[in-house]
Amino acid sequence: MATYRISLAMIARDEARCIVRALESVRDVVDEMVVVDTGSTDDTVALAEAAGATVHHVAWVDDFAQAKNAALDHCSGDWVLVLDADEWLVSGAEAVAALRSTEPGFTGLVEIASPTSDGNVTMIRQARVLPGAARYTGRIHEQPEIIGAERQLDVRLEHDGYLAEQLASKEGRNRRLLELALAEDPDNPFLWFQLARAHDVARSPEAACLGFEQAYRLSGPSGPDSPPWRHPFVVRYLACLVMTGRTQDAIDFAVPELEYWHGSADFQFMLGHALLQHAIANPELQPEVVPLAEQAWQTCLSLGDSDLPGAVVGHGSFLAARALVDLYESIGREADAERLRRLS
Ligand SMILES: [Mn+2]
């Protein structure tokens, strides 16, 4: 039986904080580890070499795809596992090892869990197990070429780059790259979405709303052909509208989208907040609107946590229960609050 080789590919710059954690998490699973350094001034290179990686140097030219492709060019594996330095493998070593007896004819999706500073955990799936021939495109938020079918693998990474300390150091760079990309391609809704997300994670919901508005204007309402980023787009746009006090705009945006996203606990969770905040801002509407907020969060509990892109762990479980407990306590429904307390 043929044995296929597995390479790890990583690009890095000034990742001394975390690169050893990343490399050690996969060292025993892959046949080689290739790091392309794009200009570190800290100990990244020495640490990566000491952890067993081969390090190559390329000049940084404001283009993530180009840097990742340089790493792929140096990989000799039939398969390549692509990791960022601020990620690490938490489970699924067996699934990666199984690639040794699998022809490199599909693209493997892995699950990536990202804790955020508000205490939540965001889940996404990304194509990170690639046939060796695959290459990336995109200056920022680079995407690999999909070879063969996409297949979900039982592999899980964790990523700490959405924590506030880490975001602060990368924020300026990412925004600058997005602005460069938008100057070349101003009608690209995905780039506007990414710019909005950069503001959103930096806790600037007003700036985020401006980008989300552009993305919405350029992409129209959700439909069966919507791209995977549509789910985090609708959820975070709704959240940012609520955070900036634009509750009527939030509801106007949500109502037509509800038809498409009623089965998303993340959407229902934010809809509940939009409705409750709207009721608080407009007391005369409370008899009508508060039960709708309650209904949205009850729907979350019956849906359970979703596995849609950008889903937050708890929006279909304990976070919805907590929102309902707070609501029931504030309107004096102590028995209902008590029943849900154990879930929250
Ligand atoms: Mn990261």
Side-chain angles (χ1 to χ4, degrees), residues 84 86 159 161:
D84 285 340
D86 60 358
H159 165 238

Side-chain angles (χ1 to χ4, degrees), residues 8 25 45 194 316:
L8 170 84
S25 76
V45 172
Q194 291 295 352

Side-chain angles (χ1 to χ4, degrees), residues 21-41:
R21 177 182 66 191
L23 294 172
E24 286 186 344
S25 76
V26 299
R27 184 164 56 197
D28 297 337
V29 188
V30 299
D31 298 291
E32 66 171 359
M33 299 192 292
V34 171
V35 171
V36 156
D37 186 87
T38 60
S40 293
T41 56

Side-chain angles (χ1 to χ4, degrees), residues 15 17 84-87 114 128 159-162 166-167 170 173-174:
E15 303 285 7
R17 175 187 74 83
D84 285 340
D86 60 358
E87 299 169 340
S114 305
R128 297 300 194 85
H159 165 238
D160 69 3
Y162 286 168
Q166 269 66 267
L167 280 171
K170 306 235 152 132
R173 179 201 63 184
N174 282 354

